[in-house]
Amino acid sequence: MASFETRLFINNEFVDAKSGEYLTVYNPVDDSLVSDKISSAGEADVDAAVAAAKAAFKGDWGKTDPTVRAKKMRQFADMIREKAEEIAGLDTKTMGSAIGTQAMGYGVCADLFDYYAGLADKIHGETSYPTSAGKYKITQREPIGVCSGIGAWNVSAVLFGWKAAPALAAGNTFLYKPSEKAPLGTLALGALIKEVFPPGVINIVNGGGKTGQLMAAHMEIRQIAFTGSTATGRKIQEHAAKSNLKRVSLELGGKSPSVIFEDANLNLAVEKSMEGILANTGQICAMASRVFVQESISDKFIEGLADGFKKVSSGDAIGDPTLKTTHIGPIADKKQYERVMELIEVGKAEGKLVTGGVRRGKDGLYVEPTIFKQTPNTSRIVQEEVFGPVVTVHTFKTEEEAIEMANDTVFGLSACVYTESISRALRVTRQIEAGTIAVNDWYFPGPDTPFGGIKQSGYGREGGLEGLIEYLQTKTIQININTTT
Ligand code: NAP
């Protein structure tokens, strides 16, 4: 008997999938089977989840006062915090990310529920002063109805919280599909959801791409928030367009530049670049995977980064992800590992390997933190998302050249700029094409500000007030006040 939940969570009950289909997950540390009995939702299951969400929206939840919704959300946040480590362990088991990283993800998820609970009773409209024609107009922001989310596997808890928390604060009901690589942690939240929310308010439908497709094409889901690759994002948009034109927001891939000028604090730039490249084993959408360093400091920077990477490779920061001392675990699964190694071979063929570039150890899907230099900008390793602990370092002479190189990508998710000059920081951040930019830091999203991309990194925002507005629709009401004539 598995010590974790593997069924779907619909209408506050764990249920077997009517589809009779199951997902299988392995532990990337030793390739051992975690479970081959994870229910995978088919059409009838997704329909049941939508029906439950619809009934909850039309019933109690849709009519609940915002302050009551907020109270329940805060209660849920506290419960997540209490269980964070235990639940995080389930994701670590299936996708190998360090327990500390995943537990922090559940902490962020709890923070998101607290943050959006605070906004639940602050949803206001506007008033337009009437003209002589006597038309008095007000706008009100209303919930959309049945909303949904599909998540990637890298930080399941954060991706769930980014979507579910604002959806609920706005008064909607919700269904969520976690990735087939990391469904167990999200599923475990079902037991907590049941204690706090009425039936149907949050439903969890596991499954692979087929389940996601059923959601994106569903005629009664009014909105879908997607986090994942750009390729799948395109499909989501297509399914939405071909079905009921549901609202879509897309948090997609990135190939984020980090631009380091010669006046930067070099130690800080090295330290923050290490964080930005190695966090979650490089499996972060906003990772600083293309570094551009001004020529005069490039040797020193590369030396510092390579030393740092070598220390990580030889120490206990990389290894068993269930240990609290570990920061870097294995790559999530075989498919992902093979992709990382394939792109590393491209880097070796087209650029110069500085350090890493090999599998670490014989067991487990571990990759040595890797640096390439002198890779042409057209190389796949520079243009495609690796989603592993791999960085390409490039050099530039002038500010203009740095900006041009940084923007030479189809992505526009995030960026970093290192300089001691405030005017340069403001000048450069203005010209870099990205949804979020950190100065003298690596960008780490928080609940209070919007996160999201431009260009092929998607559209829509998660976090902050903008994240709430994604789950509201505006109604304008016009009142004729000239009724006496
Ligand atoms: P993915 O392959 O695009 O999958 C994302 C989700 O979509 C998974 O739940 C997947 O299901 C589902 N899916 C697959 N095919 C589908 C289809 N045809 N219709 C509907 N859903 C479908 O991405 P991933 O490999 O899981 O995640 C890595 C990507 O996510 C990277 O590109 C990364 O940059 C991006 N990401 C972006 C952000 C951000 O905030 N911008 C944050 C985190 C990750 P299964 O996995 O169950 O098959």
Side-chain angles (χ1 to χ4, degrees):
M1 178 78 180
S3 55
F4 43 81
E5 193 49 73
T6 56
R7 293 171 292 173
L8 311 178
F9 183 73
I10 298 174
N11 212 22
N12 271 3
E13 299 299 337
F14 282 105
V15 292
D16 288 315
K18 293 177 190 158
S19 67
E21 289 174 15
Y22 298 95
L23 303 174
T24 301
V25 279
Y26 297 92
N27 187 333
V29 168
D30 55 9
D31 206 24
S32 59
L33 178 73
V34 176
S35 174
D36 56 1
K37 286 280 172 294
I38 299 173
S39 292
S40 177
E43 192 169 355
D45 303 298
V46 173
D47 283 349
V50 172
K54 204 173 161 187
F57 180 68
K58 290 203 180 285
D60 283 353
W61 189 253
K63 295 179 190 131
T64 303
D65 284 342
T67 47
V68 176
R69 288 205 297 272
K71 202 169 163 196
K72 288 189 180 297
M73 289 175 66
R74 288 198 182 95
Q75 195 186 337
F76 185 52
D78 288 344
M79 290 166 86
I80 294 174
R81 251 178 226 115
E82 212 170 286
K83 297 257 179 189
E85 212 158 290
E86 186 187 317
I87 299 180
L90 296 171
D91 292 333
T92 292
K93 203 193 272 263
T94 60
M95 50 70 76
S97 163
I99 183 75
T101 307
Q102 289 302 313
M104 184 176 67
Y106 281 90
V108 172
C109 179
D111 291 348
L112 281 160
F113 272 88
D114 271 340
Y115 174 78
Y116 282 109
L119 288 182
D121 60 353
K122 296 167 193 69
I123 297 170
H124 306 298
E126 289 169 354
T127 310
S128 175
Y129 195 74
T131 62
S132 55
K135 298 207 189 303
Y136 186 89
K137 292 176 199 162
I138 53 172
T139 64
Q140 60 194 36
R141 291 185 190 277
E142 300 178 349
I144 298 169
V146 177
C147 294
S148 67
I150 295 179
W153 43 268
N154 57 334
V155 274
S156 301
V158 179
L159 306 185
F160 168 77
W162 259 343
K163 298 165 180 59
L168 265 60
N172 302 290
T173 53
F174 192 69
L175 55 149
Y176 186 72
K177 187 195 94 60
S179 164
E180 64 185 328
K181 288 190 183 52
L184 301 182
T186 314
L187 263 187
L189 292 177
L192 315 186
I193 293 167
K194 190 179 166 89
E195 279 190 49
V196 180
F197 298 109
V201 172
I202 305 180
N203 306 277
I204 302 165
V205 281
N206 304 313
K210 212 167 79 184
T211 308
Q213 187 172 327
L214 286 166
M215 290 166 66
H218 204 285
M219 293 301 287
E220 301 208 61
I221 293 178
R222 297 267 179 90
Q223 181 271 4
I224 189 158
F226 172 78
T227 300
S229 63
T230 300
T232 311
R234 279 182 216 283
K235 290 185 191 160
I236 299 281
Q237 203 175 33
E238 220 177 290
H239 295 310
K242 286 183 178 160
S243 55
N244 61 346
L245 275 179
K246 60 178 64 58
R247 273 203 202 188
V248 178
S249 67
L250 300 173
E251 294 283 348
L252 309 176
K255 193 73 187 173
S256 300
S258 191
V259 182
I260 303 167
F261 288 97
E262 58 193 0
D263 66 347
N265 176 332
L266 194 66
N267 291 338
L268 178 81
V270 169
E271 187 193 312
K272 291 289 176 182
S273 296
M274 281 189 63
E275 244 179 72
I277 298 158
L278 301 182
N280 206 23
T281 320
Q283 302 168 130
I284 296 257
C285 53
M287 78 173 287
S289 53
R290 292 180 303 138
V291 174
F292 300 93
V293 198
Q294 201 149 16
E295 217 167 62
S296 53
I297 56 160
S298 64
D299 286 348
K300 262 193 170 164
F301 174 82
I302 293 173
E303 197 184 304
L305 194 66
D307 281 353
F309 275 23
K310 282 174 197 157
K311 266 191 207 122
V312 167
S313 292
S314 57
D316 60 4
I318 181 165
D320 179 353
T322 62
L323 301 177
K324 283 190 180 156
T325 46
T326 299
H327 295 293
I328 304 175
I331 300 292
D333 70 356
K334 270 189 192 148
K335 193 171 151 210
Q336 187 59 26
Y337 170 82
E338 277 159 16
R339 178 172 162 76
V340 173
M341 293 315 278
E342 183 201 331
L343 284 166
I344 282 178
E345 289 312 311
V346 172
K348 284 180 185 169
E350 297 178 7
K352 202 160 172 196
L353 181 69
V354 177
T355 187
V358 287
R359 180 177 190 154
R360 184 178 193 267
K362 282 196 293 296
D363 301 318
L365 305 173
Y366 292 91
V367 174
E368 295 266 0
T370 300
I371 304 172
F372 286 106
K373 64 178 183 180
Q374 293 166 18
T375 40
N377 214 32
T378 48
S379 175
R380 281 181 61 210
I381 191 136
V382 186
Q383 291 299 330
E384 291 181 22
E385 199 175 21
V386 180
F387 233 50
V390 181
V391 64
T392 57
V393 182
H394 313 256
T395 58
F396 67 87
K397 285 193 177 69
T398 64
E399 192 177 301
E400 293 69 31
E401 193 189 358
I403 292 164
E404 200 180 316
M405 289 165 90
N407 286 342
D408 188 9
T409 167
V410 297
F411 297 109
L413 187 60
S414 185
C416 311
V417 175
Y418 294 88
T419 176
E420 290 288 284
S421 156
I422 182 73
S423 47
R424 169 177 271 159
L426 290 173
R427 212 166 44 234
V428 174
T429 51
R430 191 168 160 207
Q431 292 174 82
I432 286 188
E433 297 166 349
T436 51
I437 306 191
V439 176
N440 294 326
D441 209 346
W442 166 58
Y443 194 88
F444 193 80
D448 56 337
T449 42
F451 180 72
I454 60 170
K455 291 159 79 178
Q456 291 183 36
S457 289
Y459 56 83
R461 291 293 179 265
E462 292 187 323
L465 187 58
E466 285 197 37
L468 179 73
I469 290 170
E470 296 280 342
Y471 292 89
L472 291 161
Q473 52 195 4
T474 304
K475 181 177 281 168
T476 303
I477 300 167
Q478 175 187 300
I479 303 155
N480 179 8
I481 57 172
N482 290 348
T483 52
T484 52
T485 53

